[in-house]
Amino acid sequence: MTVKPGTSGKLLAISDLHVSHPENRKITEGIRPESGDDWLLVAGDVAETVGEVEWALGLLRERFARVIWAPGNHELWTARQDPVRLKGEARYRRLVEVCRSLGVTTPEDSYPIWEGADGPALIVPLFLGYDYTFRPEGASTKEESLAVAYESGVVCADEVLLHPDPYPTRDAWCRARVAETERRLSAEAGGLPVVFVNHYPLVREPTRVLRYPEFAQWCGTELTADWHIRYNVAVMVYGHLHIPRTTWYDGVRFEEVSLGYPREWRPRPVPPGRLRQILPHPPAA
């Protein structure tokens, strides 16, 4: 389904729903479009089990004209409570199959064109991963970076739960995904403005505000540091950091759109679960 020019539809976004938390599940049940023409971008970390991902995306797909999903690290976990025991690439492909059965667009599908107000724009969901190049100060290699994290006690659960099979490492998987995506973008991006949807920011700068800088190594890759310039990006949508905000880099708007965990959103004055407007560009932008 394509929104026709001149309609009142909006391109909205959210990420990090983490619906295994009962409070977040209730918030997800309350997410609704403002009109029948609204599209929704979901930038990963819907849930840790395939069944919960299917439930949440299916619910949202029933309500929105189009739902576009990019995977986070939590969807790729082979968690103990999930009866689906697939790992790595096989797990990702299962999630793609689930999305396609629901009518949800994935990084493996044709990039849709948003034709509403401030359009047209090419909507590009990404699956890129990370490669340990967002290193803490003083670390010059992946091994040194991980050593700093383990010494500090700040270690992402991906190290146990996110398997890269059949790739030897998570960073090797990341490099393969980046190369594959670059080839596709060169062939398909054309001249339209692009809205990138990725679980991680394309540049390192947003991670500078993390309370624990050691965690940044699980937050993206330096290989995409110039993508927001190379590909005529109108807006870059991401999550993962659980620090919802708007920032600008080289004149490009970056939107961190995560809900996050209940302990994180409870103290905030803004009600949780509010969708971020991506297009049309909000007046403040």
Side-chain angles (χ1 to χ4, degrees):
M1 182 182 297
T2 301
V3 173
K4 301 300 182 184
T7 67
S8 60
K10 294 179 180 179
L11 184 64
L12 304 168
I14 197 165
S15 75
D16 297 79
L17 292 169
H18 294 290
V19 301
S20 62
H21 294 270
E23 292 168 279
N24 284 25
R25 188 181 182 95
K26 184 175 181 180
I27 289 170
T28 302
E29 289 172 341
I31 293 175
R32 295 185 180 277
E34 298 177 19
S35 79
D37 290 329
D38 289 350
W39 289 19
L40 182 64
L41 310 177
V42 182
D45 277 9
V46 175
E48 289 78 35
T49 71
V50 172
E52 287 180 320
V53 172
E54 182 172 15
W55 169 80
L57 291 180
L59 179 72
L60 297 171
R61 181 63 188 88
E62 290 173 359
R63 297 173 176 177
F64 288 82
R66 190 158 197 157
V67 174
I68 299 167
W69 166 81
N73 54 314
H74 282 236
E75 285 103 332
L76 299 174
W77 286 1
T78 305
R80 182 170 49 188
Q81 69 271 27
D82 193 350
V84 179
R85 306 309 299 163
L86 295 172
K87 298 179 179 180
E89 180 77 16
R91 184 173 186 85
Y92 171 61
R93 295 295 168 177
R94 171 66 66 83
L95 289 163
V96 169
E97 291 174 3
V98 167
C99 286
R100 286 174 170 169
S101 73
L102 299 171
V104 172
T105 302
T106 78
E108 306 310 309
D109 298 314
S110 298
Y111 301 143
I113 297 175
W114 167 262
E115 294 182 348
D118 286 355
L122 192 69
I123 312 303
V124 178
L126 300 170
F127 168 37
L128 302 175
Y130 53 81
D131 63 357
Y132 304 91
T133 51
F134 292 178
R135 297 172 186 141
E137 186 175 353
S140 59
T141 66
K142 171 187 172 181
E143 291 72 23
E144 291 176 359
S145 186
L146 283 171
V148 170
Y150 275 95
E151 184 176 352
S152 69
V154 179
V155 180
C156 184
D158 290 8
E159 294 298 308
V160 175
L161 297 173
L162 201 164
H163 303 275
D165 309 43
Y167 296 91
T169 61
R170 283 171 285 276
D171 39 315
W173 194 7
C174 169
R175 289 190 292 270
R177 290 295 311 187
V178 168
E180 178 183 341
T181 305
E182 283 182 316
R183 287 192 294 269
R184 187 174 172 192
L185 287 170
S186 296
E188 300 181 33
L192 290 177
V194 171
V195 174
F196 275 139
V197 187
N198 191 46
H199 187 56
Y200 310 101
L202 293 179
V203 298
R204 181 169 184 175
E205 280 73 11
T207 71
R208 304 289 186 191
V209 299
L210 289 173
R211 179 177 298 178
Y212 302 105
E214 303 90 341
F215 192 77
Q217 62 192 293
W218 291 282
C219 297
T221 169
E222 295 285 2
L223 294 172
T224 61
D226 66 347
W227 280 27
H228 62 297
I229 301 170
R230 285 173 59 190
Y231 295 111
N232 186 27
V233 175
V235 189
M236 197 276 134
V237 178
Y238 69 101
H240 188 58
L241 304 185
H242 295 194
I243 307 173
R245 60 180 182 148
T246 303
T247 52
W248 295 79
Y249 306 103
D250 302 300
V252 177
R253 177 161 57 105
F254 278 58
E255 295 283 0
E256 209 281 10
V257 298
S258 59
L259 171 59
Y261 302 128
R263 69 175 184 272
E264 295 167 327
W265 56 252
R266 282 194 203 105
R268 295 172 182 157
V270 178
R274 294 180 63 180
L275 302 178
R276 189 76 58 84
Q277 182 173 320
I278 306 305
L279 293 177
H281 293 282

